[in-house]
Amino acid sequence: MVKIGCSSLFFWEYDIEEIVDIFLELGLKNMEFFPENPEFWKKRNDLDYINSVKSELSKLEITIHSPYIELNSSSTNENIRYVTLMETFWAIDLSKKFNAKLITIHAGKRPTHRVPTDEEYDNFDDYLKKSIEYALKKEITLCLENSPEKINNICYNVESMKKTLYKFEDLYITLDIAHARENSLDFIKNFHEKIKNMHISGVNSKDHYPLSESRINFDKTLNLLVNEYGYKEALNFELNDLIYKKSLSKKEKMDILTNEIHYLEKIIK
């Protein structure tokens, strides 16, 4: 059986203990934990706090998403590249401490709105080489998330992902179906053996809408992966509360997620 979960960022305004309680109440089995949750980020160097969070997160299966806000492993600025690598190492250590088996990272990108050059790819390859080596030492699986389709992004299509995976046999995939959009079936067919984690959401005017409101139907994509290829890892909802015209209450968010869980269960049953 797959493990249905959700990103902690959908409940970013609550403390970790409350987020865990919400997940347990909804019957979720997995959490993709974003350490850039505001409360956690401010206290991440407090060992007592980290241990208390570890105790709470032990009630669920956990995957970790490496920090990515303001970071770029392909940056022309060597200081940004260095910080990106150090934050990834920190997140790998955090994964080990929280007993998470895998961590999701983002691909690099050209800082300007232009097609990436060999320099951006070389910087990204150097980051991957060092990150994979460190993850292997810590016995953590490193999963690369496919990027949204933008001119300056690396690994937003099947060809670019193939090019990267060919170089790094110990690298796996977190497939974000909203990023893949109409190409999600091609990603499944080409990489089903490499997919170890999933981000589930729909596409409407923007990415990360509820799956039930998506203008792109992902039923075939999810059925193919789960029922044809036997995927048994996490299916994590990654929903964006900014798509709504008002701030959502906790109950409203829980109701949205409950509806999404039921919708997903019908697709993959």
Side-chain angles (χ1 to χ4, degrees):
M1 286 289 291
V2 294
K3 296 165 284 190
I4 297 178
C6 184
S7 162
S8 62
L9 278 187
F10 190 50
F11 297 95
W12 63 269
E13 65 268 52
Y14 302 104
D15 61 39
I16 306 305
E17 181 179 3
E18 190 163 5
I19 297 173
V20 170
D21 287 343
I22 291 168
F23 277 40
L24 292 174
E25 185 176 341
L26 294 176
L28 293 171
K29 304 296 184 185
N30 195 84
M31 177 189 290
E32 178 139 295
F33 182 68
F34 278 72
E36 289 172 300
N37 169 281
E39 180 214 22
F40 185 88
W41 192 255
K42 292 175 182 176
K43 299 180 182 179
R44 68 176 182 153
N45 295 315
D46 182 334
L47 185 56
D48 289 338
Y49 172 74
I50 292 295
N51 286 331
S52 71
V53 170
K54 178 182 177 181
S55 177
E56 288 298 319
L57 293 181
S58 68
K59 300 171 184 177
L60 296 160
E61 291 194 48
I62 299 296
T63 58
I64 300 289
H65 196 298
S66 185
Y68 69 94
I69 298 172
E70 300 179 283
L71 301 177
N72 180 12
S73 57
S74 293
S75 177
T76 51
N77 185 325
E78 66 275 12
N79 295 314
I80 292 175
R81 295 201 306 273
Y82 176 76
V83 171
T84 302
L85 183 64
M86 291 302 100
E87 291 294 349
T88 301
F89 284 3
W90 170 81
I92 291 170
D93 287 337
L94 189 69
S95 300
K96 188 70 173 179
K97 185 172 184 63
F98 286 172
N99 298 314
K101 296 178 182 178
L102 65 83
I103 182 171
T104 294
I105 59 171
H106 277 196
K109 59 185 178 182
R110 187 170 180 178
T112 56
H113 195 65
R114 299 176 187 273
V115 175
T117 65
D118 288 345
E119 180 181 4
E120 280 81 45
Y121 276 97
D122 289 345
N123 288 339
F124 182 47
D125 286 351
D126 181 64
Y127 162 80
L128 285 177
K129 179 177 181 295
K130 293 171 180 174
S131 296
I132 292 169
E133 287 175 354
Y134 194 77
L136 288 172
K137 286 180 184 178
K138 300 292 182 175
E139 300 179 305
I140 302 294
T141 299
L142 199 70
C143 293
L144 174 62
E145 180 178 349
N146 57 303
S147 304
E149 183 175 353
K150 293 182 180 179
I151 190 171
N152 59 322
N153 277 348
I154 294 172
C155 289
Y156 70 78
N157 58 25
V158 168
E159 292 72 25
S160 182
M161 186 67 82
K162 273 185 181 177
K163 178 180 175 182
T164 297
L165 291 175
Y166 179 78
K167 296 177 186 176
F168 302 99
E169 64 178 355
D170 293 310
L171 181 65
Y172 293 87
I173 295 176
T174 289
L175 179 61
D176 188 310
I177 60 173
H179 290 172
R181 296 194 168 205
E182 290 89 352
N183 297 318
S184 61
L185 273 173
D186 288 336
F187 270 91
I188 299 290
K189 291 173 182 177
N190 280 276
F191 305 122
H192 58 91
E193 293 180 350
K194 280 283 190 176
I195 298 169
K196 299 293 185 183
N197 189 36
M198 290 281 287
H199 290 169
I200 305 298
S201 64
V203 175
N204 209 308
S205 56
K206 296 180 181 178
D207 294 348
H208 306 308
Y209 261 76
L211 194 63
S212 59
E213 298 176 21
S214 181
R215 65 172 175 78
I216 298 174
N217 189 305
F218 291 109
D219 291 14
K220 288 184 180 179
T221 296
L222 294 166
N223 259 307
L224 182 67
L225 184 66
V226 174
N227 295 319
E228 295 295 324
Y229 291 124
Y231 178 82
K232 290 182 172 60
E233 306 301 329
L235 296 173
N236 287 308
F237 286 108
E238 191 175 66
L239 305 173
N240 184 2
D241 63 351
L242 291 175
I243 65 174
Y244 297 93
K245 295 180 180 179
K246 62 165 188 163
S247 296
L248 300 174
S249 67
K250 183 169 76 171
K251 183 181 184 305
E252 286 172 323
K253 287 189 174 185
M254 291 177 69
D255 287 345
I256 290 167
L257 194 48
T258 297
N259 183 67
E260 290 299 284
I261 294 166
H262 293 159
Y263 186 85
L264 176 60
E265 287 175 337
K266 289 178 182 178
I267 293 173
I268 63 175
K269 68 179 179 180

